Amino acid sequence: MPPPPPSIAGKAACFLSFAAARDRCFSHRFLAAGLRPLAVHLPDAADPVTTVHMWVPASPPRNPLVLLHGFGASATWQWYPYLRPLIAAGFDPIVPDLVFFGNSCTRLPDRSDMFQAWSLKAALDAIGVKKFGLVGVSYGGFVGYKMAAMYPDAVDKVAMVCAGVCLEEKDLAEGLFPVAGVDEAAALLVPRRPDEVRRLVRLTFVRPPLIMPSCFLWDYIKVMGSDHIQEKTELLHALISGRQLSTLPKLKQKTLIVWGEQDKVFPMELAHRLKRHLEGNSRLVVIHNAGHAVNLEKPTEVCKSVIDFFQEPVAEDSNDEMV
């Protein structure tokens, strides 16, 4: 029997793909929660040098909360458990894809967190969101921290979830992390083979799956991790190379720091370092039995901490917590 035409074969592959099915499921959850996908072209639609894709409320947001994802799967995979609790608490979630993730991309060569911050701020301006709260997970926390420093009048309060913004490049060589250099960090966070995915999952989860069949991991890599590999590697180089704590600005906004107690990617030392750096302008919440992927391992606890922080009066943002 001859092979099916390419179009039929492609549809069959998509239909049989577990990762693609989950991706569609998460998108449906966003739609069911009242969000809609939107592509914002910068500087304008006639010449979209940069495109920022985001999920936004169907109605103009009154209490916008921007949720920034980390490396790994797309924004929908990382934030779907948070939508309904945040909406029930009175927030209007806005969930962007960072540049070179999901459907966001650029033709410009800049790979800095400053460019990511500018792109997101320009996209939010384009849809009329001028002031907002911000939550960033891991790499999204780096971008969120930069946004808060660049646009203090726009970013109200900030929550950093396992975001090692206080790391220095020398920390890698000194053994603070499971990698010894930027190239090894890129290989870890941008996996290309099933064994690399297994290593990443085992580092980021306290209780990783006991069985991770290669066929499913190849499917995940093909669907979620095969785009913009070179650009994502360049993002990490731009983020880590030459990084020094002495050049990190101190945020003016009240800041929530959420950390998985057993984080092996960004150890707890970085949480305490960030708290010291902010000099009393922050609260640290440590979540037990969770690692770097605390937002997925303990979504209920993380979401409650975020809601409590953004709802309470500024004067009460103080004491640290163990969850």
Side-chain angles (χ1 to χ4, degrees):
M1 180 180 295
S7 59
I8 297 178
K11 291 179 180 178
C14 182
F15 179 78
L16 296 174
S17 168
F18 177 73
R22 284 182 66 85
D23 191 48
R24 290 193 297 271
C25 176
F26 294 145
S27 294
H28 286 313
R29 291 196 185 191
F30 271 62
L31 292 169
L35 276 68
R36 61 186 179 89
L38 177 68
V40 180
H41 302 298
L42 308 172
D44 56 59
D47 183 21
V49 174
T50 300
T51 298
V52 176
H53 176 273
M54 60 178 68
W55 289 86
V56 300
S59 303
R62 292 175 296 179
N63 190 13
L65 187 62
V66 178
L67 309 177
L68 302 183
H69 64 84
F71 267 74
S74 67
T76 54
W77 289 54
Q78 297 187 35
W79 289 116
Y80 74 89
Y82 295 77
L83 298 181
R84 292 196 178 279
L86 288 175
I87 293 171
F91 297 99
D92 297 303
I94 298 175
V95 188
D97 289 322
L98 297 174
V99 176
F100 295 123
F101 296 86
N103 293 317
S104 296
C105 60
T106 187
R107 299 203 308 264
L108 299 175
D110 197 336
R111 302 290 182 261
S112 66
D113 53 349
M114 181 180 296
F115 174 74
Q116 292 273 17
W118 172 85
S119 299
L120 288 178
K121 180 60 166 58
L124 292 168
D125 285 343
I127 63 173
V129 176
K130 303 298 183 182
K131 195 171 183 65
F132 49 90
L134 193 151
V135 184
V137 170
S138 193
Y139 177 67
F142 283 80
V143 177
Y145 195 98
K146 181 64 72 173
M147 287 186 73
M150 292 171 61
Y151 309 108
D153 294 333
V155 180
D156 183 21
K157 296 168 77 174
V158 184
M160 300 277 102
V161 182
C162 289
V165 295
C166 284
L167 75 85
E168 299 185 283
E169 184 179 6
K170 67 178 184 179
D171 290 328
L172 278 69
E174 293 176 356
L176 183 62
F177 306 107
V179 295
V182 182
D183 289 332
E184 191 178 347
L188 173 66
L189 295 175
V190 190
R192 307 185 190 193
R193 300 189 304 273
D195 60 309
E196 294 173 342
V197 177
R198 291 189 187 95
R199 183 191 179 200
L200 179 60
V201 171
R202 287 166 181 157
L203 276 173
T204 53
F205 286 82
V206 169
R207 295 183 177 86
L210 296 176
I211 300 175
M212 290 180 273
S214 293
C215 59
F216 286 102
L217 298 181
W218 277 121
D219 176 49
Y220 170 82
I221 292 169
K222 180 180 179 180
V223 174
M224 302 304 303
S226 60
D227 292 338
H228 303 300
I229 290 177
Q230 180 59 37
E231 290 84 355
K232 291 175 182 176
T233 301
E234 293 168 0
L235 291 177
L236 287 171
H237 275 272
L239 190 70
I240 299 174
S241 296
R243 192 176 186 92
Q244 296 181 342
L245 180 59
S246 60
T247 62
L248 186 71
K250 299 181 188 296
L251 297 186
K252 298 178 180 179
Q253 299 91 335
K254 285 290 183 180
T255 303
L256 173 69
I257 305 169
V258 180
W259 225 269
E261 186 182 31
Q262 300 181 49
D263 192 337
K264 297 177 182 178
V265 177
F266 291 143
M268 278 294 306
E269 159 60 22
L270 292 181
H272 297 299
R273 190 184 292 181
L274 177 57
K275 183 167 175 57
R276 291 193 300 269
H277 183 73
L278 295 176
E279 299 179 340
N281 199 33
S282 65
R283 167 189 294 180
L284 173 60
V285 174
V286 180
I287 298 185
H288 293 304
N289 299 317
H292 186 66
V294 63
N295 59 307
L296 297 177
E297 286 190 294
K298 301 283 185 174
T300 301
E301 292 89 336
V302 173
C303 193
K304 182 180 185 303
S305 296
V306 167
I307 290 173
D308 290 347
F309 172 70
F310 282 96
Q311 284 185 335
E312 66 191 6
V314 173
E316 296 181 13
D317 294 348
S318 54
N319 298 327
D320 296 349
E321 300 177 14
M322 304 290 283
V323 179

